[in-house]
Amino acid sequence: MKKILAVLGTRPEVIKMAPVIAALSARGLAPKVLATAQHRGLLDQTLAIFGIKPDFDLNVMSENQTLNGVSEMILRGIGPILSSEKPDCVLVQGDTTTAFIAGLAAFYSGIKVGHIEAGLRTHDKYSPFPEEMNRQLLGRLADIHFAPTENAKQNLLSERVLSENIYIVGNTEIDALLMVLGHYKDASKGKKMSERLEKDYGLKFGDGEKIILVTAHRRESFGGGLKNICEAIKEIAAQEKDAVVIYPVHPNPNVQKIAHDILGGLKNVFLTPALDYESFSFLMS
């Protein structure tokens, strides 16, 4: 299996696929990379951090895009590339619309599918939506299943996936995190990142200052769930006056409005734009 096409469309896919691309390249199996750009800005930001330059870019993202529209554009765009490139295997990651539709297109073309982060299940097709059905359907389409845990493997076995087609490989997101944080073993690089966070986002901290880092943007939390989260953050910020709450707010309008309506203007709450992966990892550390 010498010709591999790695497909990614969102920031999490880049993060979790980057160590795989690096490992394949180190072994002389450098894959070609196809970006669907299901999420354009966040995708480009993360590609740059890991030094990945796509060989193909479908650029499918549009304003107020729907799952039907994204699916149609990916399926229409990837077909000719599979026909011309004829890869031995299409690698997809996780449970995005990009991953599922790329796997479906590869199946239609008679090309093997490798699924990274295979076997995750809630067994509720609406939670998370649409990810649970994306990964279940990929479980039927994939030929090689790279499961992060023994539990994930057992889920696949219960669905009659053959044991010899399942490999427990751990969570590639941890590999990505270690790759990025490794840069900051050099104190001067850490100092530069601290200066960048202050310059770009107004984030400045003293030694030992309490930091509460928040991330909340899941589709199934839109509405009441996210409102409850933000009300809880507001209550914590009021009680913990010596703590700084940092909430990088996802660009989705469903998230932006609630976060800014409830938390905007609070003295010890910073609502920043969505941070790039490198900045967020450094802040988390």
Side-chain angles (χ1 to χ4, degrees):
M1 194 175 289
K2 294 184 179 179
K3 288 188 70 174
I4 300 171
L5 180 69
V7 182
L8 33 82
T10 66
R11 175 166 64 175
E13 286 167 280
V14 177
I15 293 167
K16 295 178 183 182
M17 188 78 87
V20 179
I21 292 172
L24 286 168
S25 299
R27 288 160 176 78
L29 292 168
K32 288 198 172 181
V33 176
L34 185 153
T36 67
Q38 180 181 336
H39 294 166
R40 178 82 269 171
L42 296 178
L43 178 85
D44 291 344
Q45 189 185 78
T46 316
L47 287 169
I49 288 169
F50 288 100
I52 298 171
K53 295 181 180 178
D55 300 279
F56 310 97
D57 192 328
L58 301 185
N59 195 29
V60 303
M61 184 173 175
S62 60
E63 190 173 354
N64 298 319
Q65 63 188 15
T66 64
L67 293 172
N68 286 339
V70 170
S71 300
E72 177 192 5
M73 292 178 72
I74 295 171
L75 198 56
R76 190 191 302 274
I78 198 172
I81 295 168
L82 294 178
S83 295
S84 62
E85 290 297 311
K86 295 181 172 56
D88 298 309
C89 179
V90 169
L91 271 183
V92 297
Q93 192 285 323
D95 48 25
T96 66
T97 299
T98 285
F100 168 53
I101 297 299
L104 182 64
F107 167 70
Y108 285 161
S109 299
I111 297 167
K112 287 186 181 296
V113 177
H115 184 200
I116 299 163
E117 200 178 56
L120 274 61
R121 299 287 185 270
T122 65
H123 304 291
D124 176 350
K125 70 179 184 180
Y126 292 110
S127 178
F129 173 85
E131 289 84 359
E132 175 65 12
M133 284 313 300
N134 286 343
R135 60 199 182 197
Q136 284 198 34
L137 293 166
L138 266 170
R140 308 313 306 151
L141 291 169
D143 300 277
I144 311 167
H145 306 258
F146 299 104
T149 63
E150 177 64 33
N151 187 56
K153 178 180 179 178
Q154 291 303 318
N155 287 336
L156 293 166
L157 290 173
S158 72
E159 296 170 4
R160 298 189 178 182
V161 174
L162 296 177
S163 180
E164 57 262 37
N165 295 333
I166 306 171
Y167 299 86
I168 299 178
V169 297
N171 186 346
T172 61
E173 186 167 18
I174 301 303
D175 297 303
L177 182 63
L178 294 175
M179 284 170 68
V180 168
L181 292 182
H183 300 166
Y184 298 106
K185 289 178 179 176
D186 181 336
S188 64
K189 290 182 179 178
K191 184 172 183 293
K192 283 182 181 177
M193 177 57 82
S194 295
E195 291 169 352
R196 180 180 151 200
L197 287 171
E198 182 179 359
K199 177 176 176 290
D200 292 350
Y201 304 108
L203 301 175
K204 185 177 182 180
F205 315 105
D207 289 339
E209 189 161 15
K210 290 198 294 186
I211 299 171
I212 300 171
L213 181 60
V214 176
T215 176
H217 63 266
R218 294 292 311 173
R219 184 189 300 268
E220 59 267 32
S221 296
F222 288 175
L226 188 61
K227 182 175 182 295
N228 289 340
I229 291 169
C230 289
E231 292 288 0
I233 293 169
K234 182 177 181 179
E235 187 175 332
I236 290 167
Q239 292 174 358
E240 303 289 335
K241 296 189 184 300
D242 59 340
V244 174
V245 179
I246 304 163
Y247 180 7
V249 185
H250 194 280
N252 190 303
N254 293 291
V255 181
Q256 286 278 333
K257 179 167 177 24
I258 291 175
H260 283 276
D261 283 353
I262 296 174
L263 300 172
L266 297 181
K267 187 176 180 182
N268 58 336
V269 176
F270 289 90
L271 300 178
T272 74
L275 299 178
D276 64 80
Y277 180 66
E278 194 172 24
S279 299
F280 189 90
S281 298
F282 177 79
L283 194 56
M284 184 170 64
S285 73

